[in-house]
């Protein structure tokens, strides 16, 4: 199995720059929109990047806040892991930091379960399937008798990933049903799979098994880079978004925050006219790198985007459960043996615990001045029926179960966020999920909800979609595409599909 694949999608081009003036509007300043804007501007396109928030970044964004003491800090939408197979994200970030020096590797990210259970991912071989074999052999939750009871044919599907086959066979069943079919012992299932499934913000009982198998291939069974990830030493606003905004400005991109695109119609002098904060602007190209609700609202307000299949696919998109982020400035330090990040399972809705002062300079500086710790608790797929008080109580109870040294600690400051804007990957949604190309010439979609021709997820999926959107729009100009990088697109035992030029972009 090759380490990674370099793809030129939708096809090779010879020109470094567009041959004549071309203008573009990119709506959405998250990773997908910024990737698209960068790729377009680098090839000579005049770009306006419109973001409705006062800061760039989307769900990976950050903004300045102040503690009660007046001390400023950078708040974020929760912990983000930079896995080594995030090749396209790395390519974007190398534009501002060629050595990716702002990233720091973690030695491990243990999974903690009830009753003192611990699962470690350090020291595993990088190469599939030996990583799977090694983890299976050493996990304390699987004995030989347990392995004899596992459904081998169902488990083999994790090594047989191939996009069309996997979604064709498994998109009509839930992730929970697939995991049930494995017949893993309850402890092994909880420690090896439940945390993984929750990490995509979708509850197992509502998530497509096809999507889960793609995620498993991307992160584990087809991933040649190993399971250990990196973290940012600095807040994202300083390590990523400030430098990226400066990079885009240097390329001539007109970055407009607090600016929304609300409607698209046919242009007079150029192909499209867009409403930006109520003012019409014309552009040859448009990238819609919006949230699911934002995209649905724009399409609903744009009757000239009249292809019925496109409108149906956009309308069919949905959001998954909310997620909670709770940052706490505490007056007590953790035990010395604690790691910067752990996943948690089996105790309430809590999914991970991050000790920010162990890896981020700003939080470390606060602890140096005041003592104590800076902790963040995350719950990825919160039951929508739970009240805020119930979520807080449940997360704190679990925190104390896993880190009992914090029971009774004083809360000096806190920030609690509950957001519901992550895409759902529901049953039977893959076939009708919109891809990067649209039926409307000069318009492309980007975002982590878009159907892509490569296995990817979360931040990597967003960046890959942004690059693909730029490539798709510039292909008629004969401009060289931004290379798209991928882990092997099929599993160790996956069949090699017959591809056409059209199917490579779908």
């Amino acid at each position: 199995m090759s380490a990674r694949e370099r793809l030129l999608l939708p096809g090779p081009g010879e020109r470094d720059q567009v041959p004549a003036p071309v203008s573009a509007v990119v709506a959405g300043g998250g990773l997908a929109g910024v990737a698209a804007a960068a790729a377009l501007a680098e090839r000579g396109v005049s770009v306006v990047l419109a973001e409705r928030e006062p800061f760039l970044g989307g769900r990976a964004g950050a903004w300045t806040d102040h503690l009660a003491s007046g001390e400023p800090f950078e708040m974020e939408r929760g912990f983000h892991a930079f896995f080594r197979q995030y090749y396209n994200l790395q390519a974007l970030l190398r534009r501002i930091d060629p050595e990716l020096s702002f990233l720091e590797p973690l030695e491990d990210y243990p999974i903690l379960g009830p009753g003192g259970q611990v699962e470690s991912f350090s020291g595993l071989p990088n190469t599939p399937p030996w990583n799977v074999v090694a983890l299976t052999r050493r996990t304390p939750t699987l004995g030989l008798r347990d392995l004899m009871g596992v459904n081998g044919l169902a488990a083999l599907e994790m090594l047989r990933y191939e996009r069309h086959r996997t979604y064709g066979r498994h998109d009509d069943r839930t992730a929970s049903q697939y995991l049930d079919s494995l017949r893993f012992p309850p402890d092994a299932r909880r420690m090896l799979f439940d945390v993984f499934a929750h990490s995509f913000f979708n509850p197992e009982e509502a998530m497509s098994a096809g999507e889960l198998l793609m995620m498993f291939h991307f992160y584990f069974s087809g991933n040649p880079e190993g399971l250990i990830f990196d973290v940012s030493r600095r807040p994202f606003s300083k390590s990523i978004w400030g430098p990226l905004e400066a990079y885009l400005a240097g390329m001539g991109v007109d970055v407009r925050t607090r600016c929304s695109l609300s409607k698209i119609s046919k242009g007079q002098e150029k192909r499209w006219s867009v409403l930006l904060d109520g003012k019409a602007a014309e552009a040859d190209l448009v990238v819609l790198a919006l949230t699911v609700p934002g995209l649905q609202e724009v399409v609903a307000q744009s009757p000239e985007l009249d292809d019925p299949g496109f409108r149906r696919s956009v309308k069919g998109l949905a959001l998954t459960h909310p997620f909670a982020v709770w940052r706490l400035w505490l007056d007590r330090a953790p035990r010395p043996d604690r790691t910067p990040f752990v996943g948690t399972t089996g105790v309430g809705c809590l999914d991970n615990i991050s000790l920010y002062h162990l890896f981020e300079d700003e939080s470390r500086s606060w602890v140096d001045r005041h003592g104590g710790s800076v902790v963040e608790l995350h719950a990825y797929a919160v039951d929508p029926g739970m009240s805020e008080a119930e979520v807080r109580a449940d997360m704190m109870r679990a925190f104390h179960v896993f880190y009992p040294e914090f029971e009774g600690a004083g809360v000096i400051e806190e920030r609690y966020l509950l957001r519901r804007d992550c895409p759902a990957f529901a049953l039977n949604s893959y076939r009708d999920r919109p891809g990067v190309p649209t039926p409307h010439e000069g318009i492309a979609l980007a975002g982590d909800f878009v159907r892509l021709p490569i296995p990817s997820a979360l931040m990597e999926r967003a960046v890959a979609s942004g690059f693909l959107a730029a490539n798709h729009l510039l292909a008629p100009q004969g401009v060289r595409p931004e290379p798209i990088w991928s882990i092997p697109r099929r599993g160790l035992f996956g069949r090699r599909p017959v591809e056409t030029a059209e199917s490579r972009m779908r």
Side-chain angles (χ1 to χ4, degrees):
M1 184 179 289
S2 61
R4 58 178 177 173
E5 301 178 9
R6 183 176 185 269
L7 309 171
L8 297 176
L9 300 175
E14 297 181 355
R15 294 190 174 106
D16 289 333
Q17 299 277 296
V18 290
V22 176
S23 61
V25 170
V26 177
L31 283 166
V34 167
L40 290 168
E42 289 162 357
R43 289 154 180 80
V45 177
S46 175
V47 179
V48 173
L49 175 62
E51 166 56 48
R52 69 177 180 179
E53 297 291 343
F55 52 86
L56 297 181
R59 293 201 304 277
W63 58 95
T64 301
D65 198 345
H66 291 81
L67 300 173
S69 63
E71 296 169 280
F73 72 97
E74 300 299 302
M75 187 60 191
E76 299 168 357
R77 292 276 302 268
F79 178 88
H80 286 71
F82 293 77
F83 284 88
R84 311 284 170 79
Q85 74 273 27
Y86 284 8
Y87 304 131
N88 297 293
L89 175 60
Q90 291 170 9
L92 176 65
L93 296 178
R94 288 187 191 279
R95 288 160 161 85
I96 56 171
D97 185 348
E99 303 302 320
L100 300 180
S101 60
F102 73 92
L103 293 177
E104 177 178 330
L106 294 190
E107 296 180 3
D108 193 10
Y109 60 101
I111 306 298
L112 307 184
Q117 292 179 324
V118 180
E119 192 70 60
S120 169
F121 295 101
S122 68
L124 293 174
N126 287 355
T127 307
W130 307 116
N131 54 357
V132 179
V133 173
L135 180 62
T136 302
R137 289 182 62 182
R138 83 180 194 188
T139 179
T141 58
L142 271 179
L144 180 59
R145 181 175 296 180
D146 298 322
L147 285 172
M148 296 295 291
V150 169
N151 181 345
L153 287 177
L156 188 63
E157 290 297 301
M158 294 185 232
L159 298 174
R160 297 183 67 186
Y161 175 79
E162 187 278 308
R163 182 163 58 106
H164 298 295
R165 176 191 176 276
T166 298
Y167 282 103
R169 291 173 63 95
H170 297 285
D171 201 40
D172 64 349
R173 62 194 307 210
T174 67
S176 181
Q177 288 170 330
Y178 171 74
L179 294 175
D180 287 345
S181 75
L182 294 174
R183 298 201 298 266
F184 269 69
D187 285 350
R189 171 174 170 168
R190 180 172 55 243
M191 297 297 290
L192 296 176
F193 293 107
D194 286 359
V195 173
F196 176 79
H198 265 214
S199 297
F200 310 109
F201 305 95
N202 282 245
E204 293 174 15
E205 62 273 12
M207 181 181 182
S208 157
E211 194 72 16
L212 178 73
L213 285 164
M214 185 278 288
M215 302 288 192
F216 196 85
H217 173 75
F218 179 63
Y219 284 99
F220 193 56
S221 62
N223 168 24
E225 305 295 341
L227 281 173
I228 302 304
F229 56 73
D230 302 323
V231 294
S232 177
R233 292 189 175 100
R234 307 180 70 202
F236 289 170
S237 53
K238 297 179 179 179
S239 62
I240 298 176
W241 298 114
L244 272 177
E245 185 168 1
Y247 175 81
L248 292 175
M251 296 297 301
V253 176
D254 180 4
V255 179
R256 303 181 189 179
T257 55
R258 294 186 172 91
C259 179
S260 298
L261 186 155
S262 56
K263 182 179 179 180
I264 302 175
S265 56
K266 298 289 178 64
Q268 295 181 352
E269 297 182 3
K270 298 183 180 180
R271 185 178 291 128
W272 298 105
S273 175
V274 299
L275 276 184
L276 295 177
D277 280 352
K279 297 180 180 179
E282 295 202 348
D284 303 295
L285 309 174
V286 179
V287 177
L288 296 176
L290 301 165
T291 63
V292 166
L295 175 63
Q296 290 172 330
E297 184 176 348
V298 168
V299 172
Q301 296 296 320
S302 305
E304 291 183 70
L305 301 182
D306 57 1
D307 182 88
F310 173 70
R311 298 182 75 86
R312 183 171 57 250
S313 67
V314 170
K315 187 177 181 180
L317 295 169
L319 298 177
T320 185
H321 283 11
F323 66 96
V325 176
W326 194 3
R327 187 176 293 193
L328 299 158
W329 287 259
L330 303 176
D331 65 0
R332 188 175 301 176
R335 266 180 14 203
D337 61 333
R338 296 299 189 189
T339 57
F341 175 90
V342 297
T344 63
T345 184
V347 183
C349 64
L350 184 67
D351 284 300
N352 69 57
I353 302 168
S354 303
L355 302 180
Y356 265 63
H357 62 283
L358 296 185
F359 64 87
E360 187 196 70
D361 61 356
E362 182 180 84
S363 295
R364 184 181 297 117
S365 177
W366 185 87
V367 169
D368 289 342
R369 296 193 305 273
H370 303 287
S373 56
V374 181
V375 178
E376 207 165 80
L377 309 179
H378 303 150
Y380 288 138
V382 177
D383 181 346
M386 294 178 70
S387 68
E388 178 179 325
E390 290 171 330
V391 175
R392 284 173 175 260
D394 193 62
M395 293 173 75
M396 186 60 73
R397 177 180 66 86
F399 176 44
H400 292 156
V401 167
F402 292 118
Y403 284 16
E405 66 267 29
F406 281 108
E407 192 162 1
V411 177
I412 299 172
E413 192 97 26
E414 63 175 319
R415 292 295 185 275
Y416 176 85
L417 305 176
L418 186 68
R419 298 290 185 269
R420 190 174 191 175
D421 53 12
C422 294
F425 296 100
L427 277 69
N428 295 309
S429 64
Y430 178 79
R431 183 186 62 186
D432 295 326
R433 184 175 298 276
V436 167
T438 75
H440 304 285
E441 186 178 359
I443 297 180
L445 303 185
D448 62 355
F449 60 88
V450 173
R451 186 179 62 199
L452 295 186
I454 60 172
S456 60
L458 301 176
M459 293 192 292
E460 174 69 355
R461 192 172 192 163
V463 173
S465 72
F467 285 157
L468 283 166
N471 290 352
H472 171 69
L473 295 177
L474 291 177
Q477 306 272 348
V479 177
R480 62 175 176 83
E482 178 72 22
I484 303 298
W485 296 92
S486 175
I487 69 164
R489 285 174 291 161
R490 60 189 180 96
L492 189 66
F493 302 125
R495 68 182 185 182
R496 187 181 298 276
V498 177
E499 289 190 333
T500 64
E502 183 182 359
S503 70
R504 295 177 78 204
M505 276 294 286
R506 287 206 305 263

